[in-house]
Amino acid sequence: MYQIDTPIVLYSFDRPGYLEAVCASLTRQKGVRYDPAKVFLLQDGAVSARSGRRMARDADIEASIALFRRHFPEGQVRHSTENLGVARNILRGERLVFEELDAGLGYFFEDDLELGPWYLFALERLREITEPFPRIAYFGAYGDHRRDYPGPVVKYIPLEHHWGFGLRRHAWRRMMAWLQPYYAILEGVDYNARDHRRIFELFRPLNIASEASSQDAAKSIACLELGLYRILTTVSFGRYIGERGNSFSPEHFRAMGFDRMRVAQSETYDFVPLTQQKLEEIDAHHRRHYERLRRERFDAILAAHSRP
């Protein structure tokens, strides 16, 4: 039985139905204990102070806060009075954990990853396993949705999506220093109105590229440039449910195969030892992918975001 001291952050905006599933799943965790007072809701606001645009209904935000308080009456709500957008709200949660709380590690969850009963247990095992490897920045346990790994054997593959993960403070600090020019581009505009071309131009000198200009993509590039690793379990300890949202449509969700994602049902799990060789294999896989995008797709990406 693990006693979790790591702060747990849930990000929320305007999808109370998804958040309900995530909160409920967090209360049903096995093999761990955690302090409900260390569970935080980072709730974004409805109206942008930059553009004056309304981004959400007040009723959805109020419902999200209410259901969180129902599941976690001792939890802490950090409700923004204005709409920050995805990047700023996530950054707010990171600063809460690593600056205000001065924690060395944080567990972060978006509102569309429903946890299986052993998810936090898996993160705790990964915390132990990754401690000898200071270059590991991120570790997650939602698994490979394209294949069914039922367990009990748990191996490791590259982490792509930052959904339900542990992030270490020393790596976050390095990423934030490297990403200062990226966040400067986001200043003064709504996140969904960010200047995509300026962001892609920012990364032009690199030999890697992403097809996205999101904060997730920028952090992925930062990790590769800084020699930081991101690992994921093969076994799916949770499932992605975000059929509708900022990055997915029902069609895209099904095309990616997330509708077929299943949580492993084993009651015991055997995490294989992690080696430097395996980490280098994971890093090489990431690099080949991003180098191929830079080589084959970058010009088309820039052209797609050319100003008229």
Side-chain angles (χ1 to χ4, degrees), residues 172-182 202-203 206 208 218-219 221-223 225-226:
W172 176 80
R173 286 173 171 169
R174 291 184 64 195
M175 284 191 293
M176 288 304 102
W178 195 87
L179 286 169
Q180 282 185 3
Y182 175 83
L202 182 66
F203 299 138
L206 309 179
I208 58 176
K219 288 172 179 172
I221 290 174
C223 283
E225 286 295 298
L226 294 170

Side-chain angles (χ1 to χ4, degrees), residues 17 37 47 75 81 93 101 162 165 179 196 199 202 242 249:
V47 179
T81 57
L101 301 178
H162 298 152
F165 58 86
L179 286 169
H196 301 281
I199 292 170
L202 182 66
S249 64

Side-chain angles (χ1 to χ4, degrees), residues 36-42 68 72 74-78 100-101:
K38 288 188 176 180
V39 180
F40 296 83
L41 183 73
L42 271 289
F68 173 80
F72 298 102
E74 300 173 58
Q76 302 186 44
V77 175
R78 299 295 179 97
E100 182 179 336
L101 301 178

Side-chain angles (χ1 to χ4, degrees), residues 15-89:
R15 301 186 294 181
Y18 290 160
L19 183 64
E20 172 74 43
V22 176
C23 286
S25 68
L26 186 55
T27 66
R28 297 192 293 261
Q29 295 299 291
K30 295 181 177 181
V32 297
R33 297 189 185 95
Y34 61 87
D35 183 355
K38 288 188 176 180
V39 180
F40 296 83
L41 183 73
L42 271 289
Q43 175 63 54
D44 204 357
V47 179
S48 168
R50 294 166 297 280
S51 65
R53 290 184 58 200
R54 172 169 286 277
M55 305 295 189
R57 300 189 312 158
D58 292 334
D60 289 332
I61 290 175
E62 292 165 4
S64 297
I65 293 173
L67 70 87
F68 173 80
R69 286 180 168 148
R70 186 171 68 252
H71 286 288
F72 298 102
E74 300 173 58
Q76 302 186 44
V77 175
R78 299 295 179 97
H79 180 195
S80 175
T81 57
E82 64 178 87
N83 178 262
L84 300 171
V86 171
R88 292 181 183 87
N89 197 42

Side-chain angles (χ1 to χ4, degrees), residues 49-226:
R50 294 166 297 280
S51 65
R53 290 184 58 200
R54 172 169 286 277
M55 305 295 189
R57 300 189 312 158
D58 292 334
D60 289 332
I61 290 175
E62 292 165 4
S64 297
I65 293 173
L67 70 87
F68 173 80
R69 286 180 168 148
R70 186 171 68 252
H71 286 288
F72 298 102
E74 300 173 58
Q76 302 186 44
V77 175
R78 299 295 179 97
H79 180 195
S80 175
T81 57
E82 64 178 87
N83 178 262
L84 300 171
V86 171
R88 292 181 183 87
N89 197 42
I90 287 178
L91 182 59
R92 185 168 66 113
E94 293 166 346
R95 285 174 170 165
L96 164 66
V97 170
F98 299 127
E99 295 178 352
E100 182 179 336
L101 301 178
D102 196 29
L105 173 70
Y107 290 157
F108 299 90
F109 298 91
E110 296 196 15
D111 64 354
D112 48 15
L113 184 74
E114 184 176 17
L115 312 183
W118 295 98
Y119 203 97
L120 287 184
F121 176 87
L123 289 186
E124 283 292 285
R125 285 292 292 123
L126 290 171
R127 174 186 59 78
E128 291 180 328
I129 290 166
T130 60
E131 278 179 350
F133 302 96
R135 289 173 62 186
I136 295 178
Y138 289 91
F139 53 86
Y142 55 82
D144 186 347
H145 71 276
R146 301 174 187 86
R147 295 179 61 187
D148 182 20
Y149 292 96
V153 176
V154 180
K155 298 181 181 180
Y156 313 104
I157 56 177
L159 181 149
E160 282 297 334
H161 305 287
H162 298 152
W163 285 333
F165 58 86
L167 172 61
R168 296 191 182 278
R169 179 177 59 195
H170 72 272
W172 176 80
R173 286 173 171 169
R174 291 184 64 195
M175 284 191 293
M176 288 304 102
W178 195 87
L179 286 169
Q180 282 185 3
Y182 175 83
Y183 283 102
I185 292 174
L186 301 184
E187 282 298 316
V189 297
D190 292 334
Y191 180 65
N192 287 344
R194 63 191 180 279
D195 191 328
H196 301 281
R197 184 176 180 86
R198 280 186 66 198
I199 292 170
F200 289 123
E201 288 285 3
L202 182 66
F203 299 138
R204 181 196 281 272
L206 309 179
N207 66 353
I208 58 176
S210 171
E211 292 185 281
S213 65
S214 66
Q215 58 89 33
D216 256 4
K219 288 172 179 172
S220 300
I221 290 174
C223 283
L224 282 170
E225 286 295 298
L226 294 170

